[in-house]
Amino acid sequence: MRKRTPEGEWGYYVRKRISLALGVGSFLLKPPAGIGSYPGTADLIGVVNGRGVALELKAPGGRYKVTPAQEQFLQRWRDAGGMGLVVASEEDLKGFLSKWRGQDRLF
């Protein structure tokens, strides 16, 4: 079994938290990357409570920053009426979840 990168571990954790917190009100998937994919596509794309969501994941304290292509993708997503944001910390994740749950404490 391959070992996950810090960003991969963070992505797994974020998907799990969202799934546990929002349950059937959410559907997120990880789109394929690489040749043929749209430049800057967010790490997670889906629907939460009927609204399109695009999340760019960056490992907390990691060395990677959002690229111009990723920021452009998120802006186009927002311009189209969706919610596009970077989740790079536990606080970012709590902020995202509280928008949908209406509370800060999730568990």
Side-chain angles (χ1 to χ4, degrees), residues 44-93:
L44 294 177
I45 294 177
V47 179
V48 176
N49 294 338
R51 185 168 179 200
V53 174
L55 302 175
E56 181 60 42
L57 306 176
K58 297 297 176 191
R63 60 186 174 159
Y64 296 107
K65 305 293 179 210
V66 178
T67 67
Q70 291 167 334
E71 187 52 53
Q72 182 181 28
F73 179 89
L74 293 175
Q75 187 58 54
R76 289 191 69 195
W77 192 272
R78 290 188 289 264
D79 291 346
M83 177 185 231
L85 64 134
V86 176
V87 179
S89 69
E90 189 69 34
E91 286 304 311
D92 291 343
L93 180 57

Side-chain angles (χ1 to χ4, degrees), residues 4-25:
R4 289 188 185 114
T5 63
E7 199 164 274
E9 285 291 330
W10 176 241
Y12 178 78
Y13 174 75
V14 168
R15 287 190 306 275
K16 209 56 149 161
R17 284 284 304 269
I18 291 171
S19 177
L20 288 171
L22 302 177
V24 296

